[in-house]
Amino acid sequence: MSTRDSWRNSWGSGYGGGGPTFGGHSAWGAGGGDTIFRVLSRTSERQSKRRSALISGFSEDGIYEEDDFSVYSERDIDMPPISKAEDWVMMPDVKNYAERGEKDHFKPKKLGVTWKNLTVKGVGSDAAFNENVASQFNIPRGIKESRHGPPLNTIIDNSHGCVKPGEMLLVLGRPGSGCTTLLKMLANRRNGYAEVNGDVHFGSMTAKEAEQYRGQIVMNTEEELFFPTLTVGQTMDFATRMKVPYHKFSDQRKDKDFQQEYRDFLLKSMGITHTADTKVGNEFVRGVSGGERKRVSIIETLATRGSVFCWNNSTRGLDASTALQYTKAIRAMTDVVGLTSVVSLYQAGNGIYDLFDKVLVLDRGREIYYGPLKQARPFMEELGFVCGEGANVADFLTGVTVPTERQVRKGYEATFPRTAVEIRDDYLRTDIKATMEKEYVYPQSDEAKVNTKDFKEAVAYDKDKTLPKKSPLTISFLKQVKACIVRQYQIVWGDKPTFIIKQVATLVQALVVGSLFYKSSTDSGGLFFKSGALFFSLLYQAFMALSEVTDSFAGRPVLAKHKAFAFFHPAAFCIAQIAADIPVLLFQVSQFSLVLYFMVGLKVSASAFFTYWITLFAIAMCTTAVMRATGAVFSTFDAATKLSGFWFSALIVYTGYFIPKTQMHPWLVWIYWINPLAYGFETLLSNEVHGQTILCVNNNLIPNGPGYTDSAFQSCAGVPGAVQGATSLTGDQYLQAFSYKHSHLWRNFGIIWAWWAFFVVVTIVATSNWKEMAGKSGFLLIPRENAKKSIPLPQNDEESQTKDLKEKEIAGGQLAPLDSSSSSMDEKTIENQLISNTSVFTWKNLSYTVKTPSGDRVLLDNVQGWVKPGMLGALMGSSGAGKTTLLDVLAQRKTEGTITGSVLVDGRPLSVSFQRSAGYCEQLDIHEPMATVREALEFSALLRQSRQTPRAEKLKYVDTIVDLLEMQDIEHTLVGRTGAGLSVEQRKRLTIGVELVAKPSILIFLDEPTSGLDGQAAFNILRFLRKLAAVGQAVLVTIHQPSALLFKEFDTLLLLARGGKTVYFGDIGVEASTLKEYFARNGAPCPQDVNPAEHMIDVVSGSASQGKDWNKVWLESPEHKDVSNEVDRIIEEAAAKPPGTVDDGHEFAMPLWQQTKLVTHRMNVALYRNTDYVNNKFALHIGSALFNGFSFWKIGTGVQELQLKLFTIFNFIFVAPGVINQLQPLFIDRRDIYEFREKKSKMYSWVAFVTGLIVSEFPYLCICAVLYFAPWYYTVGFTADSNKSGAVFFVMLFYEFIYTGIGQFIAAYAPNAVFASLVNPVLITTLVSFCGVLVPYAQIQEFWRYWIYYLNPFNYLVSSILTFTVFDNVVECKEHEFALFDTPNNQTCQDYLAPYRAGLGARTNLVNPEATSGCRVCQYRFGSDYLSTLNISDYYTGWRDAGIVVIFALSSYVMVYLLMKLRTKATKTAE
């Protein structure tokens, strides 16, 4: 350990209490830099004492001895600098803020973290089985497996350590070693682990006591979780606003001053001030670059102003220079503020490594080294391992347990420790272990107790006085709500398309429905219409609220992160959502009401209109709260959609419109009482009919027509509430029939708001319990059907290595590297099978411009270069320099913007087959999650290798690539998703494999193939690429953080600066000599022992740039001239020769039929394994069918029951929304995989893609039809005649196809799942409205009647099922359903009614023809009489309509093809 490091560590608490203070307050603690520069003059005696201590440095045991000084002034003569990051560009700012902090005597917030005997276990083994649709029903096996209980997997095994304030610990380990879990423990995040044993202390607090300080003990995770539509500025505004201290400095009064200064400091600290107005974005929303997004994630974590920071692989996606600047920033803040920083990194360069104080190495959860940084390498070297020249020490430390990576010193072959256990045993015997153990008493020390006391006081001083004592938050609840509201509006505004669609859809829907119920009359004929219009008003609000379930899951990970940061109480977020809802819903409801109310002709009075309007608003708020609560309560989207589908059906059926309250069965009537829509319906109906007199007309008046004008001898029929013998009724009589009362109006209004409040509370409680990703360790998933194929994962058993080593000694050399022996083929066989390439790829004067709101933006500026066979080219530059953009343009992957310049293969323009002849491994590893590794590779090989190659040969080549990429142990496991499936490194290898099996004949592009990998994995991948180049393949790679070892592997370099400007193109040279010489000649020599890759990135964009325009330097250099001449020469030479690769003239390698077969097979297998999706589908059908069946249990034979039969059939339509909502995200996920990778590599046609998606659903839709038919058809009491029941099943089966087609064609064109969930209600409600149920055919307005009615599949569906089930029924009127009246002049009923029954009343049933008074007339005789009012005149129309249903099923699938074709854009080529 260096003198300077030891000296700083010995400071303890006297060191750096302050911090970057913004707005007059320490940025991290309430305490300013209380002791940094306090003592400026000490006696010469103390100075000399101090110097002698510093010179002597170490005691005999090698550990720095504590001196009695605790304060150091920078101005002391000849003293070493405060920090290893003294040269960090913003160090003066941090010190300046620290000085300002000290002035106001704030206490420091310094904690430190100490842990002993820490063992963590997770549920689950290394691998788990993924059940399929059939295997999940194997109950005996399920019982047998459940008996044993889930196995516990030890993730961390007996770890220990201590990081004091002002110290930085580097945690190293390969993926799966437990680094993330250890960091989670040190950040006090224990959720999701089965068992945590051992002590963890924060300062002197236990883990339990520290829970209330979660905002001070924070962790930056590997994932970047943001609202993609917010800008970087808005994201940081919010984060900094949430941590404004209550007590600010004397020189700053307002919260805003602190917040803005702090935000600007953070943006500047990571060099992303220029991105403030750019959206953060994600994979699918365009925003800042990947490296910039990672930096936003870093500064958002710093915005917490915490005391203990855990950083999990925070340099992933950053270039070497930015990664170094990030580490310096953390070092500077740790030193000056006294933070405790624990950092885990992959591929840490030596520049970064040297900034730490201590290092901890994990291997499969075992701590094989923990101690001072400077002693780590010597410790491993003493055991017999060798750290190669120029190698990263961090990679060396993690590679010692990996046979393929480690190098063993000669003479140690027999004695070196082979496993992690043996290395740990050696470590336990060292003095380092004994010395480090002395620190473990830190929590009991006076220093820790004082620090913790100061920390608690500082946090309390920071906190708003209105907050509870134990609250981990900083600002008052009111300010939290305010900030959340602002952000909520920014989210809405950032996603304007969704907002506009909602409002336009509402307006269109109101116009359509208003015209459907246009000018309803005030007599009995208009009653049913008006109640239909009122019911629809409620239905639409509920439909619009359904999208809340999808929304709830979109934002959840961000909220869980913010909760962990203690930014706000979940209640503040829920209230903010409501506050954002109010104006949006007010506008939505107002435009809906104004249009619909007056078009339908509802009661024209201000009080009635505003009652309608305010009730609708209350219902819109309430249904939104219901669906939001549903989303919040469930942890998975599938479970939430299942319940929201049921909820939706229940709310609709039990509103009181389909089944009058008086006819509801007692076993389900409770749903009515808990249904906000039911209270809304009673309110709206009583508001409309109260105080009105309703005359009976048309069918409802018996007899009527010519000669029947005397109301004394007529009667109302079929109008609820009408008194027998009367020809009119009052609105209140009508209400009474449903047991409604006008006096309930405002009571109901209150109940709706009470339900709203209840669901808001449920949402708040559920949201408060949201957790971040559970702590299950990553495990592999084996499909159950592959259980016998999968090879158990090889354990690290290294016993046989001694023999191998002796055989592999290098003659005369000192080192004996272990080579990979896992390959089942030798290197020669593999090399013979790899395809070589003879084509030269060139690009010249290549520019790329895109349109932005602020004008055209140049992303590539006159770039030129080439890749030759056998060449491994590196493409480098700082984050945002346009590396990925250049690859996209070269590989013809761009669909927007303007490309100029030339891109040529062998001096000729790119052929039609170029996109599939060139391999392109994208940065994002996008794969079908339900395919196994081998299936993914075979799929690519079969579709992309030439149609002339035999199938067997293609599959044999897959074996070659599996061996080359060393994937034998995982070839039968599922790709899965993060956490359950392949690790990041395995995914990356699969991405490369998928491109290699295609036998790319021109070249291979790779975008960031080493990002997120540890040093060994990165080296493995580069080794594979080197092998490919060796057999004549041309390879071009973008790379962010190459170690000196990796950089050596490349032949040429294209270096870009921001704006896509070239800084260098040409050979790198042996040990980078050519490159070093170029930069040295231009005034930027590479220092000794510095990685040239890191140096030149620093020169281009970092601290070493010296303000030069390096693009200009390049353009004026002789090298640039040589490159231009060479490009021209290569093009001329290549054009004169025959082409190296011959274009077969086919856009796709395989014919369409073969593509379709392969794609359909893959989709079938994926759905078969996706039990969540299929089970949800089945459950929704069974649940809806039983619900429908028992709600309409055994329908009778009366007149009102005819309507119930109509409604139970109508209710079958509503199985669709729930299933569609679940089907669309899956479709869009698949489409994204296709569009982002498979389409661009011309793997298969969009026709094959759509066919595969459609056909794979068929078997499940057939089962779904059975699952709905069986529980429903017989329960409602329909006829058991197989002719009828078979016909009904036939129609139901094709309805399954119709709505699936509808859901898929909306999804085919929708940009995302939320958009699709907003379009669904518009389309489905329109179809529902015009199917002849809510408004019978004869009453539909003429404008709609002659086209939309006939173009509506739901019309034919309802019509055909009604015909088969109702046509032959005999109608038996109940007593109260008869029209009861006397005849004039003692005529018999038969005589009096003869003219009527010959005309308008031909279908009525007179039951007492001979009576002379009290004539009893039933409205209908048979079901067919009722059906005639619905435009169903004959039994044959049932079969006719069934045939039309089939045609609609086919046409809905045609629409999927059509909309997918419209969406498919051609890629751009250079002009």
Side-chain angles (χ1 to χ4, degrees):
M1 202 168 183
S2 73
T3 311
R4 189 180 70 206
D5 306 329
S6 310
W7 155 83
R8 181 169 19 76
N9 292 341
S10 72
W11 264 3
S13 65
Y15 174 58
T21 58
F22 310 94
H25 191 278
S26 159
W28 276 272
D34 60 336
T35 52
I36 298 237
F37 308 113
R38 192 183 299 152
V39 183
L40 302 181
S41 56
R42 294 291 189 206
T43 59
S44 58
E45 183 190 4
R46 265 183 82 79
Q47 285 201 1
S48 60
K49 183 179 177 183
R50 208 177 283 150
R51 278 194 209 97
S52 62
L54 285 164
I55 292 159
S56 65
F58 290 91
S59 62
E60 288 171 306
D61 63 6
I63 293 297
Y64 187 74
E65 289 190 328
E66 294 277 338
D67 196 357
D68 65 344
F69 67 94
S70 62
V71 179
Y72 166 71
S73 163
E74 198 184 29
R75 295 161 206 160
D76 284 0
I77 307 156
D78 299 331
M79 296 296 281
I82 268 196
S83 168
K84 289 182 183 178
E86 196 65 32
D87 60 343
W88 181 48
V89 66
M90 295 196 65
M91 190 60 151
D93 296 65
V94 179
K95 288 182 179 174
N96 170 36
Y97 290 136
E99 284 181 307
R100 286 166 65 188
E102 185 193 336
K103 266 196 318 192
D104 281 20
H105 307 296
F106 286 117
K107 297 211 169 171
K109 287 200 293 188
K110 298 192 291 186
L111 268 186
V113 57
T114 312
W115 66 103
K116 283 190 299 191
N117 312 324
L118 180 64
T119 299
V120 182
K121 294 185 178 181
V123 174
S125 52
D126 292 333
F129 285 114
N130 181 77
E131 301 297 349
N132 56 48
V133 171
S135 72
Q136 62 178 333
F137 296 113
N138 187 336
I139 294 160
R141 185 181 58 221
I143 293 168
K144 187 177 159 193
E145 287 177 0
S146 66
R147 267 211 220 112
H148 305 300
L152 289 187
N153 182 23
T154 302
I155 307 168
I156 298 287
D157 183 11
N158 196 21
S159 173
H160 45 82
C162 173
V163 192
K164 293 180 184 173
E167 286 185 345
M168 282 176 75
L169 168 71
L170 176 62
V171 178
L172 295 173
R174 301 202 64 188
S177 294
C179 298
T180 302
T181 299
L182 178 62
L183 262 62
K184 280 188 175 179
M185 292 302 116
L186 303 188
N188 212 13
R189 296 185 179 191
R190 299 185 167 208
N191 166 50
Y193 292 99
E195 231 176 76
V196 180
N197 297 315
D199 299 325
V200 182
H201 281 90
F202 299 91
S204 62
M205 292 184 286
T206 62
K208 189 84 187 136
E209 290 167 339
E211 279 175 10
Q212 73 178 80
Y213 297 103
R214 67 163 187 263
Q216 294 296 316
I217 303 165
V218 290
M219 177 170 175
N220 175 254
T221 58
E222 215 171 340
E223 302 82 27
E224 287 107 50
L225 306 168
F226 296 104
F227 288 109
T229 56
L230 292 182
T231 65
V232 172
Q234 288 166 344
T235 303
M236 289 314 301
D237 265 339
F238 179 77
T240 47
R241 200 174 284 153
M242 288 303 184
K243 290 288 181 177
V244 175
Y246 183 69
H247 289 99
K248 287 169 288 297
F249 269 154
S250 43
D251 61 350
Q252 290 202 326
R253 294 268 172 255
K254 290 181 183 170
D255 287 359
K256 198 162 189 181
D257 298 341
F258 170 89
Q259 182 254 322
Q260 285 184 346
E261 195 176 340
Y262 188 21
R263 183 200 66 179
D264 295 344
F265 166 80
L266 290 173
L267 287 169
K268 199 174 157 194
S269 71
M270 286 295 143
I272 50 172
T273 312
H274 62 282
T275 66
D277 295 325
T278 312
K279 283 184 180 179
V280 177
N282 60 11
E283 298 94 317
F284 310 120
V285 176
R286 246 176 70 182
V288 296
S289 72
E292 287 165 343
R293 195 175 306 127
K294 176 51 91 179
R295 284 181 270 172
V296 178
S297 169
I298 289 167
I299 60 174
E300 189 190 40
T301 307
L302 286 174
T304 58
R305 297 173 40 248
S307 175
V308 176
F309 283 90
C310 294
W311 302 92
N312 188 21
N313 198 11
S314 298
T315 57
R316 185 174 84 172
L318 299 185
D319 60 76
S321 168
T322 311
L324 182 62
Q325 290 307 314
Y326 151 74
T327 318
K328 281 183 177 174
I330 302 301
R331 175 79 267 175
M333 293 171 192
T334 302
D335 288 346
V336 178
V337 186
L339 301 181
T340 305
S341 299
V342 183
V343 186
S344 83
L345 295 177
Y346 292 151
Q347 298 184 55
N350 289 338
I352 292 173
Y353 177 82
D354 290 337
L355 289 168
F356 288 85
D357 303 310
K358 296 175 178 173
V359 66
L360 185 153
V361 186
L362 284 175
D363 188 287
R364 297 201 172 201
R366 299 182 187 93
E367 194 171 296
I368 60 173
Y369 176 82
Y370 163 68
L373 184 91
K374 298 295 178 199
Q375 296 183 28
R377 179 173 167 175
F379 165 72
M380 292 299 181
E381 288 179 330
E382 278 170 24
L383 296 180
F385 301 109
V386 174
C387 183
E389 184 109 2
N392 282 349
V393 180
D395 292 345
F396 160 68
L397 294 176
T398 54
V400 292
T401 57
V402 186
T404 54
E405 310 304 332
R406 63 187 173 207
Q407 296 180 330
V408 179
R409 190 181 303 281
K410 197 173 179 189
Y412 282 82
E413 296 89 338
T415 58
F416 80 93
R418 282 155 179 70
T419 62
V421 175
E422 289 178 24
I423 298 175
R424 181 164 72 172
D425 291 345
D426 283 330
Y427 166 73
L428 294 175
R429 291 191 285 270
T430 62
D431 292 343
I432 303 171
K433 165 81 166 73
T435 311
M436 297 317 287
E437 273 184 328
K438 291 175 187 170
E439 291 189 336
Y440 301 163
V441 296
Y442 176 74
Q444 287 78 48
S445 70
D446 292 342
E447 181 192 332
K449 286 173 184 169
V450 170
N451 277 346
T452 308
K453 182 171 172 286
D454 288 352
F455 166 83
K456 288 179 176 177
E457 286 173 16
V459 171
Y461 196 62
D462 242 7
K463 206 157 64 175
D464 193 283
K465 295 293 167 248
T466 58
L467 291 170
K469 208 172 175 185
K470 289 198 167 181
S471 169
L473 309 172
T474 306
I475 61 173
S476 70
F477 186 70
L478 206 63
K479 286 179 182 172
Q480 293 169 37
V481 172
K482 230 168 100 180
C484 285
I485 290 172
V486 170
R487 182 181 67 169
Q488 206 58 32
Y489 280 119
Q490 287 168 341
I491 291 170
V492 171
W493 192 242
D495 192 12
K496 285 191 279 290
T498 305
F499 174 73
I500 291 164
I501 289 156
K502 259 189 178 176
Q503 302 317 319
V504 171
T506 303
L507 183 61
V508 169
Q509 203 63 53
L511 287 165
V512 169
V513 177
S515 62
L516 174 69
F517 297 104
Y518 189 64
K519 292 283 179 238
S520 297
S521 60
T522 54
D523 52 35
S524 65
L527 264 185
F528 186 61
F529 279 14
K530 285 182 175 175
S531 52
L534 297 173
F535 168 71
F536 187 85
S537 304
L538 300 171
L539 172 71
Y540 186 73
Q541 309 311 321
F543 235 139
M544 288 304 275
L546 265 179
S547 65
E548 285 299 327
V549 179
T550 316
D551 276 353
S552 166
F553 284 88
R556 182 172 300 194
V558 187
L559 298 172
K561 175 179 79 170
H562 286 172
K563 184 187 164 193
F565 285 169
F567 275 175
F568 53 81
H569 192 279
F573 169 72
C574 295
I575 291 166
Q577 275 190 312
I578 294 161
D581 286 341
I582 291 170
V584 173
L585 290 179
L586 273 175
F587 180 72
Q588 187 175 304
V589 167
S590 298
Q591 58 162 343
F592 184 85
S593 304
L594 282 166
V595 173
L596 187 99
Y597 193 88
F598 296 107
M599 281 183 79
V600 175
L602 298 173
K603 193 190 279 184
V604 186
S605 78
S607 62
F609 170 73
F610 282 111
T611 304
Y612 170 85
W613 173 78
I614 195 72
T615 305
L616 267 201
F617 175 68
I619 285 293
M621 290 290 285
C622 193
T623 50
T624 302
V626 169
M627 292 307 167
R628 205 171 271 158
T630 308
V633 165
F634 288 94
S635 57
T636 67
F637 178 68
D638 277 341
T641 43
K642 209 179 293 177
L643 187 84
S644 63
F646 285 141
W647 242 129
F648 187 72
S649 300
L651 295 181
I652 299 307
V653 174
Y654 283 85
T655 300
Y657 176 70
F658 284 169
I659 312 175
K661 179 173 166 280
T662 47
Q663 288 180 272
M664 291 176 185
H665 292 295
W667 53 80
L668 287 174
V669 75
W670 55 270
I671 298 173
Y672 175 86
W673 295 113
I674 62 164
N675 182 357
L677 295 189
Y679 297 100
F681 188 64
E682 182 179 355
T683 300
L684 294 183
L685 195 60
S686 60
N687 177 51
E688 180 57 33
V689 302
H690 172 66
Q692 295 199 355
T693 301
I694 301 152
L695 297 174
C696 294
V697 295
N698 302 337
N699 277 1
N700 299 127
L701 185 62
I702 297 179
N704 66 55
Y708 298 101
T709 51
D710 190 344
S711 61
F713 306 109
Q714 292 173 301
S715 173
C716 288
V719 182
V723 178
Q724 286 179 321
T727 57
S728 66
L729 69 158
T730 64
D732 290 306
Q733 282 176 314
Y734 181 69
L735 292 173
Q736 191 60 51
F738 301 108
S739 69
Y740 291 165
K741 283 184 186 164
H742 180 254
S743 58
H744 290 169
L745 194 149
W746 295 109
R747 178 205 73 172
N748 291 344
F749 182 72
I751 290 171
I752 294 167
W753 283 110
W755 278 118
W756 170 81
F758 170 74
F759 286 112
V760 166
V761 170
V762 169
T763 309
I764 290 172
V765 171
T767 310
S768 302
N769 290 319
W770 279 356
K771 301 282 195 293
E772 283 203 278
M773 290 303 223
K776 284 183 183 169
S777 56
F779 54 90
L780 293 170
L781 279 175
I782 300 162
R784 179 64 78 174
E785 64 271 27
N786 283 5
K788 292 189 172 68
K789 280 191 211 170
S790 50
I791 307 165
L793 297 177
Q795 295 303 310
N796 260 18
D797 178 27
E798 319 296 4
E799 290 310 313
S800 60
Q801 284 170 0
T802 326
K803 183 166 67 72
D804 292 349
L805 265 168
K806 286 178 179 161
E807 289 165 10
K808 290 183 183 176
E809 269 185 42
I810 299 169
Q814 184 191 17
L815 305 181
L818 276 169
D819 202 18
S820 169
S821 54
S822 62
S823 231
S824 60
M825 300 187 171
D826 63 24
E827 301 279 314
K828 270 281 158 270
T829 320
I830 288 176
E831 282 175 22
N832 291 341
Q833 286 207 21
L834 288 174
I835 191 163
S836 68
N837 165 36
T838 55
S839 291
V840 184
F841 184 72
T842 58
W843 58 98
K844 188 177 178 193
N845 301 335
L846 197 60
S847 295
Y848 176 58
T849 312
V850 293
K851 296 203 179 307
T852 66
S854 53
D856 286 358
R857 187 169 163 206
V858 178
L859 297 182
L860 294 175
D861 189 0
N862 279 320
V863 184
Q864 53 188 356
W866 62 81
V867 189
K868 295 177 180 174
M871 175 177 135
L872 182 55
L875 172 53
M876 293 179 69
S878 60
S879 294
K883 302 182 293 293
T884 302
T885 305
L886 176 59
L887 276 199
D888 281 343
V889 170
L890 292 179
Q892 292 210 308
R893 298 295 172 96
K894 288 289 182 198
T895 54
E896 311 284 338
T898 311
I899 303 169
T900 57
S902 68
V903 180
L904 305 172
V905 172
D906 292 329
R908 297 163 177 80
L910 304 184
S911 65
V912 68
S913 61
F914 171 75
Q915 278 171 275
R916 66 178 165 81
S917 308
Y920 186 5
C921 303
E922 299 209 30
Q923 197 169 341
L924 299 167
D925 304 311
I926 299 174
H927 297 283
E928 165 56 61
M930 287 293 167
T932 65
V933 170
R934 175 166 279 279
E935 285 163 1
L937 294 171
E938 287 181 354
F939 184 72
S940 179
L942 292 170
L943 280 171
R944 284 179 62 189
Q945 287 188 32
S946 162
R947 56 182 74 186
Q948 271 71 50
T949 312
R951 183 185 168 94
E953 198 177 307
K954 291 181 183 179
L955 296 179
K956 193 175 174 201
Y957 191 65
V958 171
D959 294 332
T960 306
I961 300 299
V962 166
D963 287 336
L964 174 73
L965 294 176
E966 295 165 9
M967 298 174 89
Q968 303 91 330
D969 53 344
I970 57 167
E971 63 177 317
H972 296 298
T973 65
L974 290 182
V975 175
R977 300 188 190 279
T978 319
L982 301 185
S983 68
V984 176
E985 184 246 357
Q986 289 164 335
R987 260 167 222 278
K988 190 58 76 182
R989 277 193 285 164
L990 176 60
T991 303
I992 295 170
V994 162
E995 294 303 318
L996 292 187
V997 292
K999 285 196 175 176
S1001 55
I1002 298 174
L1003 83 161
I1004 299 170
F1005 300 102
L1006 298 102
D1007 190 11
E1008 304 275 351
T1010 59
S1011 270
L1013 306 186
D1014 66 311
Q1016 279 75 31
F1019 185 72
N1020 280 345
I1021 279 173
L1022 226 63
R1023 206 179 63 196
F1024 303 144
L1025 299 181
R1026 190 70 262 178
K1027 272 184 194 173
L1028 291 172
V1031 297
Q1033 195 48 276
V1035 186
L1036 182 60
V1037 183
T1038 66
I1039 194 157
H1040 255 152
Q1041 290 174 287
S1043 63
L1045 208 63
L1046 292 185
F1047 193 56
K1048 260 192 230 170
E1049 297 288 330
F1050 291 101
D1051 303 314
T1052 62
L1053 169 72
L1054 171 54
L1055 183 57
L1056 295 178
R1058 182 166 288 284
K1061 297 177 191 298
T1062 308
V1063 174
Y1064 178 82
F1065 177 75
D1067 288 343
I1068 292 172
V1070 180
E1071 300 290 339
S1073 54
T1074 315
L1075 183 68
K1076 284 178 180 171
E1077 189 274 327
Y1078 170 78
F1079 279 103
R1081 182 157 35 90
N1082 289 294
C1086 180
Q1088 196 70 29
D1089 294 332
V1090 168
N1091 177 354
E1094 288 178 15
H1095 169 69
M1096 69 194 191
I1097 295 276
D1098 214 22
V1099 166
V1100 176
S1101 62
S1103 53
S1105 67
Q1106 307 164 7
K1108 275 190 188 177
D1109 180 349
W1110 285 93
N1111 173 240
K1112 194 176 170 201
V1113 172
W1114 165 252
L1115 293 175
E1116 290 166 359
S1117 70
E1119 283 87 350
H1120 170 250
K1121 198 175 173 189
D1122 295 345
V1123 165
S1124 299
N1125 296 336
E1126 180 66 6
V1127 169
D1128 293 336
R1129 190 190 64 75
I1130 290 172
I1131 291 172
E1132 264 177 55
E1133 264 186 30
K1137 289 187 207 158
T1141 48
V1142 183
D1143 179 26
D1144 60 9
H1146 298 296
E1147 186 182 6
F1148 301 103
M1150 297 301 284
L1152 184 61
W1153 172 240
Q1154 292 294 330
Q1155 294 172 38
T1156 307
K1157 273 193 344 192
L1158 287 163
V1159 174
T1160 306
H1161 175 70
R1162 178 175 76 160
M1163 301 283 188
N1164 278 331
V1165 171
L1167 264 194
Y1168 182 61
R1169 289 176 181 154
N1170 194 344
T1171 49
D1172 277 353
Y1173 174 76
V1174 174
N1175 291 351
N1176 201 347
K1177 228 183 178 61
F1178 290 169
L1180 217 83
H1181 277 79
I1182 295 168
S1184 302
L1186 289 169
F1187 182 69
N1188 193 356
F1190 281 101
S1191 294
F1192 294 91
W1193 172 261
K1194 299 290 181 203
I1195 301 171
T1197 53
V1199 172
Q1200 278 187 334
E1201 274 88 352
L1202 289 170
Q1203 197 148 358
L1204 292 182
K1205 286 177 181 172
L1206 170 66
F1207 281 142
T1208 186
I1209 292 164
F1210 182 57
N1211 201 31
F1212 167 53
I1213 289 175
F1214 291 98
V1215 74
V1219 183
I1220 288 175
N1221 265 11
Q1222 182 215 3
L1223 163 154
Q1224 285 171 335
L1226 184 75
F1227 186 103
I1228 289 168
D1229 277 354
R1230 295 273 157 76
R1231 190 193 68 196
D1232 289 339
I1233 293 171
Y1234 170 67
E1235 287 187 340
F1236 279 80
R1237 189 169 61 82
E1238 293 166 344
K1239 182 184 98 179
K1240 290 174 178 173
S1241 56
K1242 298 287 182 198
M1243 202 183 252
Y1244 54 88
S1245 157
W1246 64 270
V1247 177
F1249 168 73
V1250 173
T1251 308
L1253 267 174
I1254 289 172
V1255 173
S1256 60
E1257 290 275 1
F1258 283 177
Y1260 305 103
L1261 295 179
C1262 295
I1263 296 169
C1264 284
V1266 175
L1267 294 178
Y1268 199 104
F1269 175 81
W1272 167 69
Y1273 184 85
Y1274 299 103
T1275 320
V1276 292
F1278 285 148
T1279 174
D1281 178 354
S1282 59
N1283 287 327
K1284 308 273 172 55
S1285 56
V1288 170
F1289 176 72
F1290 174 79
V1291 178
M1292 288 174 72
L1293 174 62
F1294 277 90
Y1295 175 61
E1296 295 285 339
F1297 298 139
I1298 287 175
Y1299 78 69
T1300 304
I1302 290 172
Q1304 287 181 333
F1305 81 62
I1306 291 172
Y1309 201 71
N1312 54 49
V1314 175
F1315 182 100
S1317 69
L1318 292 173
V1319 175
N1320 296 337
V1322 180
L1323 187 65
I1324 290 173
T1325 45
T1326 305
L1327 295 177
V1328 161
S1329 307
F1330 290 98
C1331 69
V1333 175
L1334 296 178
V1335 180
Y1337 172 75
Q1339 274 94 21
I1340 295 175
Q1341 296 300 318
E1342 287 183 5
F1343 172 74
W1344 299 112
R1345 191 190 308 165
Y1346 297 118
W1347 66 282
I1348 201 168
Y1349 175 81
Y1350 289 107
L1351 288 176
N1352 188 344
F1354 293 1
N1355 158 28
Y1356 301 100
L1357 168 80
V1358 173
S1359 166
S1360 53
I1361 299 182
L1362 260 181
T1363 307
F1364 298 134
T1365 53
V1366 175
F1367 198 87
D1368 299 340
N1369 291 7
V1370 175
V1371 178
E1372 295 169 354
C1373 263
K1374 295 201 173 70
E1375 198 55 46
H1376 66 88
E1377 291 173 339
F1378 284 109
L1380 199 61
F1381 52 89
D1382 293 332
T1383 58
N1385 311 324
N1386 269 351
Q1387 281 178 284
T1388 64
C1389 295
Q1390 189 167 358
D1391 294 342
Y1392 174 57
L1393 294 173
Y1396 170 67
R1397 296 189 69 210
L1400 291 173
R1403 293 183 180 274
T1404 56
N1405 183 16
L1406 174 62
V1407 294
N1408 54 346
E1410 302 304 324
T1412 54
S1413 65
C1415 300
R1416 291 148 65 83
V1417 180
C1418 187
Q1419 263 180 301
Y1420 309 113
R1421 298 162 303 166
F1422 302 105
S1424 55
D1425 299 331
Y1426 169 66
L1427 295 185
S1428 66
T1429 64
L1430 299 173
N1431 196 32
I1432 301 170
S1433 53
D1434 256 310
Y1435 188 75
Y1436 87 87
T1437 57
W1439 281 109
R1440 179 202 71 188
D1441 292 349
I1444 296 171
V1445 166
V1446 174
I1447 294 167
F1448 270 107
L1450 296 173
S1451 63
S1452 67
Y1453 285 130
V1454 170
M1455 287 290 289
V1456 187
Y1457 285 98
L1458 195 67
L1459 287 165
M1460 193 67 197
K1461 171 65 181 160
L1462 285 176
R1463 188 187 162 81
T1464 307
K1465 291 181 186 172
T1467 48
K1468 296 273 179 182
T1469 51
E1471 294 167 7

